[in-house]
Structure formats: C-alpha cells, structure tokens
Amino acid sequence: MKRREFLKKAGVGATAAVAAATVNAPFVHASKKTPIRWRMQTYAGPALAEHVIKPQIDAFNKAANGEMVIELYHADQLIPTGELFRAMQRGTIDAVQSDDDSIAAPVDVSIFAAYFPFASRYSLDVPTLFNHYGLNEIWEEAYAEVKGVTWLGAGAWDPCNFATVAPIRSLSDLKGKRVFTFPTGGKFLSRFGVVPVTLPWEDVEVALQTGELDGVAWSGITEDYTVGWADVTKYYLTNNISGAWCGSYFANSDKWDAVPEHLKTLFRLSMDSSNYYRLHWYWWGEAHYRVTGGKLELTTIPEDEWSIVEAEAEKYWDEVAANSPRSAKIVSILKNYVDTMKKAGKPYRY
C-alpha cells in the first residue's frame, strides 16, 4: 500500500511539473525574441557623456535583461546636432538627449531650453519649475502638436559661464569675443558684443588653440575640466547668465509607442537616476574645480556692472513673451517663481 501511495503521489507531482512547464513555456520563448533596439544620440562628446548619460544607458541595458538594447552615440556622431529633431521624426534616429533649442525643435517652448537668460540660479530650480510650477504640462502640450516626436522629460545640468583665452573683467571685455555657445544664449549675449560661433562639438578644442574661438559659454567649470577646455583656455568668469542648463529626453513616437509599459517605466526611472546623478556631480564639480582645479584663473565682473546684464534679461523675457500665448504663460511662471524665491530669502535667493 505504501508503494502504491508513493507511485500515486509521484504521478501527481509529475503531472504538476509538466503543467508548470507548460505555463512557463511562453515566458521562456518570449525571452528568446529579438530585443528592441534603439539608436540614441546625446548632445555630449565622449568624455562628457561618461557622466551625463552613459551610466544611465548602461544600467538600463542591464536591467532590461535582453528585452531592449540602446546603442549610444555622441555629439554629431551620426547626425549633426541641429538636424536631430527632423531625423528623429523620420525615424533615422530613435531617441535623443539634448536641449530643445540646439536640435531646432519646431515648438515655441524650445527657446526656454538650454540657457534661457537668468531663468534659473541653481540646478534645483529646473526640476522645481517642471514638477511644481506646471512646465511639465506645458511641454507635453507643445510637443503633442508636433507629429513623430514624443517629449519624455527634462532635467538640470550645469550653469553657463565663460571660459576664455583672455580675461573678462568688465562688460567691455565681451565685445568682439568669438564664443562657442547655444543658440538662444548666443542671441542674448550678442547684445553685449559677443560673436556666437557654431561648430561641431569635437572641433571646439582645436578652434580654441588656433584662435578661431576666443572662448566658450557652453557650460560651467566642471565640463571645462572634464572635456579638456581648461587645457586650452586660461580664465573662468564667475558671473553666469543662467544657473542651470535645461535639457530633455525625446523619442520617435512610433518607436516609443512600441515599447512595452514595463520598459517605458524602466527608462523613465533611468532618466530620474541620471537627473539625480547630475545634480550632485555638477554641484560638487563647480566648487571643487574653482578651488582646486589649478588651470583656470577666476575673474569676476562687478555686481553693479553685471546688473546691467540682468536688467537686459528682463527686457528679453518680455520680448519672448510676445511670441505666443504659451510663451507669455511661461514667462509669467518664471517671474512668479523668481518673485517667490526672492521673498523666501536665504538660501533660495540672496
């Protein structure tokens, strides 16, 4: 009897094992499917990408467990930065990390990306404005009007300061300086005699050495040291026209829609992780390299003179507000935000 009971139980166990194998079979087969593959291009060159996006993409690829693989390309590696938006619409590239301004996004909000003059003082201003002052909803609305590209979210980077071959100690020293910078930032700085120059990112260092460029107003001091520009410039101006670069993630809409929900969630989590890393990496670097960098001499334009630049930015905001009702709404939000920060006092504003 005991033998019969054993055989009976063994038979039930075997049946259950076969049933379990049958239930699990679809998962086994699914894991062998060809993974989703994206080609993604960042605004950053190789050295900078090691911090601003590569850790994120490496982590995503690992966590995706073979279901999806993102191939990362650097600035201008596949497509010139200024053509990235159109290329994304066509599906030539699947995803992009950049600011809206540099990739010529055909939306009215693009002018507020990158370095919109004096829109932020600290890196935390950017996520605060997007998550608590309504900019997320405004950006989503704007990109919903454009076919083929999905805006995935924004984050903060570093401030915009000058690194130059010759020192800048007054506004007059800006006149005639040929500077590599962002489109909107360059247009604003041209009011003070700066000559904005557009070059492929990888050519900037050589242009500084040959005299084609007098400086860069493309980053803070962390990037100057990280990418090698501190080796070919001599001075760093502590005044900045913006406290943080505003960058975003974008994807071809068809490619994004084809991604399963759990991988969409994973990608958004990886974006959050990258945004967090950049907050503390830049906060550390901007102080660290000023104090211990040793390559760039710090210069400063006196506050009473720099206030002229700030006053001009207020006029510029009003000019941009006239572009569209949505632009006017954003400018109103920025003014309200600045007013709130000033009323809050230290440490928000001094």
Side-chain angles (χ1 to χ4, degrees):
M1 290 296 293
K2 289 181 179 179
R3 184 170 179 271
R4 287 179 182 176
E5 288 176 3
F6 173 79
L7 291 173
K8 184 178 180 180
K9 290 178 180 177
V12 171
T15 302
V18 171
T22 302
V23 170
N24 288 335
F27 173 78
V28 172
H29 292 313
S31 67
K32 293 181 180 179
K33 286 183 179 179
T34 302
I36 298 169
R37 287 193 175 274
W38 273 12
R39 296 198 303 173
M40 182 175 191
Q41 185 167 307
T42 176
Y43 75 96
L48 184 57
E50 286 290 328
H51 289 278
V52 300
I53 191 170
K54 189 175 183 297
Q56 170 198 352
I57 300 306
D58 287 346
F60 175 85
N61 287 339
K62 184 177 181 179
N65 199 30
E67 293 184 67
M68 183 170 174
V69 177
I70 298 176
E71 299 169 0
L72 181 63
Y73 296 88
H74 303 125
D76 305 304
Q77 192 172 356
L78 294 181
I79 297 162
T81 297
E83 300 173 17
L84 275 174
F85 194 91
R86 298 301 182 189
M88 200 167 19
Q89 280 185 312
R90 295 191 300 267
T92 306
I93 194 85
D94 302 309
V96 167
Q97 181 204 47
S98 180
D99 67 277
D100 324 46
D101 197 25
S102 296
I103 63 175
V107 290
D108 50 6
V109 300
S110 65
I111 196 171
F112 296 98
Y115 292 121
F116 189 66
F118 297 97
S120 63
R121 180 168 293 189
Y122 307 114
S123 53
L124 274 175
D125 290 339
V126 174
T128 302
L129 283 162
F130 274 86
N131 291 293
H132 301 283
Y133 279 75
L135 294 196
N136 271 333
E137 291 74 17
I138 292 174
W139 257 246
E140 288 170 355
E141 175 189 83
Y143 281 97
E145 299 170 1
V146 180
K147 292 183 178 180
V149 172
T150 299
W151 175 80
L152 300 177
W157 271 252
D158 53 339
C160 181
N161 296 70
F162 284 85
T164 53
V165 176
I168 297 174
R169 295 190 172 94
S170 68
L171 289 183
S172 61
D173 291 333
L174 292 174
K175 293 179 180 178
K177 291 289 189 297
R178 293 160 298 177
V179 174
F180 176 67
T181 188
F182 289 89
T184 296
K187 290 175 185 176
F188 176 71
L189 289 170
S190 66
R191 298 182 177 209
F192 303 95
V194 171
V195 181
V197 178
T198 301
L199 288 172
W201 192 91
E202 62 183 7
D203 294 341
V204 172
E205 185 171 345
V206 173
L208 286 165
Q209 292 174 300
T210 60
E212 185 179 354
L213 284 176
D214 299 306
V216 293
W218 200 83
S219 68
I221 199 168
T222 308
E223 291 190 8
D224 292 333
Y225 276 85
T226 300
V227 306
W229 294 343
D231 297 324
V232 291
T233 54
K234 296 179 181 179
Y235 301 92
Y236 181 80
L237 181 65
T238 59
N239 312 77
N240 63 57
I241 67 161
S242 181
W245 190 73
C246 176
S248 287
Y249 291 83
F250 310 84
N252 173 274
S253 295
D254 289 339
K255 294 296 180 70
W256 177 251
D257 291 343
V259 174
E261 286 300 320
H262 69 288
L263 290 178
K264 286 181 178 177
T265 299
L266 179 62
F267 186 77
R268 289 188 183 279
L269 287 171
S270 74
M271 285 169 46
D272 288 342
S273 175
S274 185
N275 290 340
Y276 169 69
Y277 174 80
R278 278 182 270 101
L279 281 177
H280 64 75
W281 182 61
Y282 282 121
W283 188 255
W284 160 80
E286 296 305 302
H288 172 77
Y289 288 112
R290 285 191 185 198
V291 176
T292 66
K295 296 178 181 179
L296 297 176
E297 180 182 333
L298 305 183
T299 63
T300 300
I301 294 175
E303 284 301 318
D304 58 343
E305 192 175 359
W306 190 248
S307 64
I308 297 172
V309 182
E310 294 180 345
E312 191 65 28
E314 292 180 13
K315 297 177 186 177
Y316 181 69
W317 283 20
D318 291 335
E319 292 170 15
V320 171
N323 290 343
S324 70
R326 190 154 50 212
S327 294
K329 185 177 181 180
I330 294 171
V331 169
S332 177
I333 289 172
L334 292 177
K335 287 183 177 181
N336 175 48
Y337 181 73
V338 170
D339 183 60
T340 300
M341 295 297 106
K342 287 180 178 178
K343 288 177 180 177
K346 297 179 181 180
Y348 298 96
R349 293 292 186 270
Y350 289 88

